[in-house]
Amino acid sequence: MVKAEKFIEEAIADIQQKAGDDYVVMALSGGVDSSVCAELAKRAIGDRLIPIYVDTGLMRKGESERIRDLFSDINLKMVDAADEFLSALAGVSDPEEKRKIIGEKFIRVFEREARETKAAYLLQGTIYPDIIESEGGIKSHHNVGGLPVDIDFKGVIEPLVDLYKDEVREVAGALAMPVEIQHRMPFPGPGLAVRCVGEVTEEKIEIVREANAIAEEELVEQFNPWQCLAAVIGLGTGVKGDIRLHGWIVAVRAVYSRDAMTAEPVEVPWENLHRIASRITAEIPGVSRVVYDITPKPPATIEYE
């Protein structure tokens, strides 16, 4: 395990050395990784840090409002780029291509913001599992394998690149960050796009957003999973109100993990699964059926794409 206090001291010095006297834009998603980066950078370079939250249109229900409240004490810039991301993803079904499109779009948004503020560096919360999975060909993380080759920055600063998720949480504790941030459930950088198997459409995004909210409401407090989610995985026939429906199939997944490298499914009792399925099919008109994923990692990944 990382020695948190020593890591904090070294990370602050490293950010200061790399940034020099320049301004730095950073990607702040509200997860523990980017939040720890923001705190380290704030201590390192103060007002020369420009934290930016990008609303991609692929966020969880109420996420942008929650981030605005969580980080009301810093000068957080919120950028609405939903139309840009959804337009860029139109007609694309391949998971790797989607990740690369999202990675490039993020960079272009940050470059645009950097030009306005004369920032020279980009700071982001890449952690070691992102590197392993991207370089190992498992999947391209938007902040690693999904990055474009041509980047208009002096450099990219990644203070957490040698840490696993549990070590990042340890550092968050040593920084005395709020418990809600320390133990916040992971959410993928590409957002709900990787919970829509195949092409990303506004209809599928809205369905998966509502289904995710239901899954979290039903599972987080009672079972405390490391991560839980709902994904639209295809189409299937069903019946609603005596009418045949060719609707969406939603998969619900909840896992326990320590560092995201391996994961075990949560054994959710039948009555809880029945309530989740009933709520999703009743509250989301276009859904015809719900399944629960019991596959560990490996062989499955935690997310669907």
Side-chain angles (χ1 to χ4, degrees):
M1 293 295 289
V2 66
K3 293 182 178 178
E5 288 77 12
K6 185 173 186 295
F7 173 82
I8 290 168
E9 181 181 332
E10 291 176 350
I12 289 172
D14 186 58
I15 293 169
Q16 290 171 335
Q17 186 272 323
K18 288 177 177 173
D21 295 327
D22 288 312
Y23 281 81
V24 176
V25 294
M26 78 152 295
L28 180 58
S29 68
V32 65
D33 303 334
S34 66
S35 299
V36 166
C37 279
E39 182 62 27
L40 292 171
K42 186 172 68 173
R43 296 186 185 194
I45 60 175
D47 291 340
R48 286 186 290 116
L49 173 69
I50 304 165
I52 298 172
Y53 169 81
V54 180
D55 185 343
T56 63
L58 306 168
M59 315 307 291
R60 282 180 287 194
K61 189 175 183 177
E63 183 76 350
S64 296
E65 294 78 8
R66 187 177 189 182
I67 296 304
R68 186 182 288 110
D69 292 341
L70 270 176
F71 296 95
S72 59
D73 60 332
I74 66 173
N75 187 28
L76 176 64
K77 181 169 185 179
M78 304 191 74
V79 176
D80 183 354
D83 289 342
E84 293 181 56
F85 278 82
L86 292 172
S87 295
L89 289 167
V92 179
S93 298
D94 181 75
E96 281 296 288
E97 189 177 352
K98 287 198 289 187
R99 286 177 173 275
K100 285 179 168 56
I101 287 170
I102 290 168
E104 177 167 9
K105 186 57 65 177
F106 265 119
I107 285 295
R108 302 310 172 212
V109 170
F110 289 123
E111 286 175 341
R112 188 170 66 221
E113 296 300 322
R115 284 192 290 271
E116 291 182 6
T117 56
K118 298 189 176 1
Y121 289 91
L122 171 68
L123 186 143
Q124 60 183 13
T126 307
I127 62 175
Y128 192 51
D130 298 344
I131 302 293
I132 293 173
E133 292 192 330
S134 291
E135 294 183 350
I138 297 170
K139 58 185 176 182
S140 294
H141 285 261
H142 74 289
N143 53 342
V144 186
L147 287 178
V149 175
D150 56 322
I151 298 176
D152 191 19
F153 288 100
K154 277 188 182 180
V156 179
I157 303 172
E158 298 174 313
L160 310 180
V161 74
D162 294 322
L163 302 188
Y164 287 94
K165 180 74 73 174
D166 56 325
E167 294 174 321
V168 178
R169 296 193 196 281
E170 186 181 343
V171 172
L175 289 167
M177 302 188 76
V179 172
E180 180 181 2
I181 292 176
Q182 287 181 47
H183 299 289
R184 194 148 196 239
M185 190 166 58
F187 184 66
L192 299 177
V194 294
R195 295 180 183 175
C196 292
V197 175
E199 183 182 359
V200 176
T201 65
E202 289 191 35
E203 179 192 9
K204 287 166 74 174
I205 288 294
E206 285 306 314
I207 287 171
V208 81
R209 182 177 286 124
E210 293 299 324
N212 265 274
I214 292 170
E216 290 187 15
E217 287 170 14
E218 295 290 342
L219 293 170
V220 171
E221 186 173 347
Q222 185 169 352
F223 299 99
N224 192 31
W226 191 84
Q227 191 165 344
C228 78
L229 60 103
V232 171
I233 62 171
L235 285 164
T237 55
V239 178
K240 283 190 174 182
D242 296 326
I243 298 174
R244 183 181 175 89
L245 169 70
H246 192 55
W248 297 105
I249 302 170
V250 169
V252 175
R253 184 154 169 75
V255 298
Y256 294 127
S257 182
R258 184 177 68 87
D259 55 15
M261 298 306 296
T262 62
E264 289 295 326
V266 178
E267 295 185 20
V268 180
W270 166 252
E271 56 268 27
N272 298 89
L273 293 176
H274 186 268
R275 184 166 60 248
I276 291 169
S278 296
R279 283 195 61 191
I280 290 175
T281 53
E283 296 176 27
I284 308 175
V287 176
S288 61
R289 63 181 67 193
V290 176
V291 298
Y292 184 64
D293 187 337
I294 62 169
T295 319
K297 177 182 180 180
T301 53
I302 294 174
E303 296 286 345
Y304 279 83
E305 292 192 338

